[in-house]
Amino acid sequence: MRIETDLKLGFKDVMIRPKRSTLKSRSQVSLEREFKFLHSPLHWKGVPVMAANMDTVGTFEMALALGKKKLFTAIHKHYTVKEWSEFSKGITTELFNYIAVSTGISKQDADKLSDIMTAVPQINFICLDVANGYSEHFVAFVKQTRKRYPEKVIIAGNVVTGEMVEELLLSGADLVKVGIGPGSVCTTRVKTGVGYPQLSAIIECADAAHGIGGQIICDGGCTTPGDIAKAFGAGADFVMLGGMFSGHTESGGELIERNGEKFKLFYGMSSQTAMKKHSGGVAEYRASEGKTVEVAYKGDVDETIQDILGGVRSACTYVGASKLKELTKRTTFIRVTEQENRVYS
Ligand code: 5GP
């Protein structure tokens, strides 16, 4: 046994220090980024905020709403080949820059991915998603997928340490998804004791990825636009959101009405609810159970997008970053023991 005594930090442990700036208004801030990838020859331009590949969040409806604003959606893996085929007929070529197909790594998953890619060859992004990205089997799957789809952008995760980010990138991933345990409906830390505070994971993994020309996605743990700004400040190239995009008109699941109030169901992809719904299909998707919660209905996602982008733009203004790309360079985190004043919450 060994103990590492370096303190690891989460979003709640820091704030971004304001800096003198020449920016007059947040309207001067551009949140669009352009990326070239480590393996895929594709170029990407857009706002690097993503909806998570959960069946309550990463829906076709969400993709249409987010794609219009150049935000990205990792479509969940439970749509059938036929549903993909029908969806693809009604959308523009442009939208294919803002969606990924997701898959697990079982034989069944790989076969389904292959069928979807044959039916909808315009798909540019493939998200290989497992709870524990540390297995040899996963690395082999990434290699195999790269070989099979040399032109596509491959997202692989999840991991939380630099050496594994490097291994996945060198095995064929373009983007590595970072986060074990920070998710809003995740119980990994409770069930297994395993995890890594997300801010430190982002700082360390971004450094590893950028060193070899790859990118990372901060996946999980953002509960406010301020957390998203901190994730970008820490070096995340993309930020993926589950909970913050749940509960909208475009989110999956029924609208529940009780005593005049509206809710939507939101659950982890390895929760009882998800297992039951996909009957065994997700048993190996996540190592641990997830929670099932009812979130207050939030209306159309457009307003949430505006709230998020407004917050991140404002963060950029506070540190004098005229482009999102400059935010990391201009970020100094201060360690804190307080966050917002909660007297009225
Ligand atoms: P959030 O933005 O809600 O904090 O986090 C979303 C992320 O939580 C997802 O993208 C995924 O990585 C993770 N997640 C989703 N469902 C589960 C689950 O059932 N168990 C665990 N451990 N993580 C989950």
Side-chain angles (χ1 to χ4, degrees), residues 26-331:
R26 66 178 86 170
S27 65
Q28 289 175 286
V29 175
S30 161
L31 295 184
E32 282 194 21
R33 289 208 58 180
E34 278 184 70
F35 290 113
K36 283 186 191 161
F37 300 103
L38 181 56
H39 303 281
S40 167
L42 293 170
H43 286 211
W44 188 83
K45 192 171 174 198
V47 180
V49 172
M50 294 179 156
N53 50 313
M54 303 167 74
D55 60 3
T56 45
V57 179
T59 61
F60 287 146
E61 295 79 9
M62 189 63 79
L64 292 173
L66 296 192
K68 255 187 241 154
K69 312 242 152 129
K70 300 189 176 178
L71 277 69
F72 197 96
T73 303
I75 309 270
H76 69 73
K77 70 169 191 175
H78 299 292
Y79 284 114
T80 62
V81 180
K82 187 157 172 271
E83 284 169 322
W84 263 105
S85 199
E86 276 161 19
F87 174 66
S88 71
K89 285 180 196 129
I91 62 174
T92 58
T93 323
E94 168 84 358
L95 196 77
F96 282 103
N97 292 327
Y98 302 106
I99 57 173
V101 60
S102 302
T103 174
I105 61 168
S106 68
K107 171 83 174 64
Q108 197 188 345
D109 286 326
D111 291 346
K112 183 171 168 191
L113 174 67
S114 165
D115 292 345
I116 293 174
M117 295 307 286
T118 307
V120 192
Q122 310 95 301
I123 291 173
N124 289 325
F125 288 76
I126 303 174
C127 177
L128 309 181
D129 190 29
V130 292
N132 173 5
Y134 284 78
S135 78
E136 266 180 29
H137 180 48
F138 184 57
V139 173
F141 195 87
V142 174
K143 285 186 185 156
Q144 186 187 312
T145 310
R146 170 53 65 206
K147 219 172 176 185
R148 176 103 199 253
Y149 306 102
E151 309 276 296
K152 305 296 179 188
V153 180
I154 295 178
I155 302 171
N158 280 22
V159 299
V160 285
T161 50
E163 95 284 0
M164 206 58 206
V165 168
E166 284 169 5
E167 174 143 10
L168 292 177
L169 289 171
L170 297 175
S171 301
D174 295 293
L175 289 156
V176 175
K177 213 144 66 76
V178 175
I180 293 187
S184 58
V185 283
C186 160
T187 55
T188 297
R189 292 176 184 178
V190 184
K191 290 284 170 71
T192 68
V194 176
Y196 212 99
Q198 187 70 340
L199 187 90
S200 289
I202 297 309
I203 294 171
E204 295 168 25
C205 291
D207 193 46
H210 297 160
I212 51 176
Q215 282 102 20
I216 64 156
I217 300 170
C218 165
D219 177 21
C222 291
T223 59
T224 59
D227 290 343
I228 299 170
K230 289 173 188 175
F232 283 127
D237 301 285
F238 287 82
V239 175
M240 178 176 264
L241 306 171
M244 288 185 73
F245 281 143
S246 70
H248 293 92
T249 317
E250 296 84 355
S251 313
E254 296 285 295
L255 191 64
I256 305 158
E257 287 208 57
R258 202 182 316 109
N259 305 328
E261 288 183 77
K262 293 179 181 164
F263 302 90
K264 272 201 153 187
L265 213 58
F266 176 52
Y267 47 84
M269 292 311 293
S270 63
S271 64
Q272 286 289 353
T273 313
M275 303 256 192
K276 241 190 239 164
K277 190 162 175 204
H278 307 294
S279 57
V282 283
E284 34 80 82
Y285 179 85
R286 288 277 170 196
S288 96
E289 300 263 316
K291 286 180 214 169
T292 299
V293 294
E294 282 180 3
V295 297
Y297 175 60
K298 302 173 196 163
D300 294 352
V301 77
D302 272 2
E303 211 169 299
T304 300
I305 297 173
Q306 205 177 329
D307 193 47
I308 290 173
L309 302 190
V312 177
R313 245 187 227 113
S314 187
C316 289
T317 319
Y318 271 112
V319 299
S322 62
K323 297 189 189 93
L324 180 57
K325 186 173 190 266
E326 294 165 11
L327 183 57
T328 310
K329 258 200 323 261
R330 300 195 62 95
T331 292

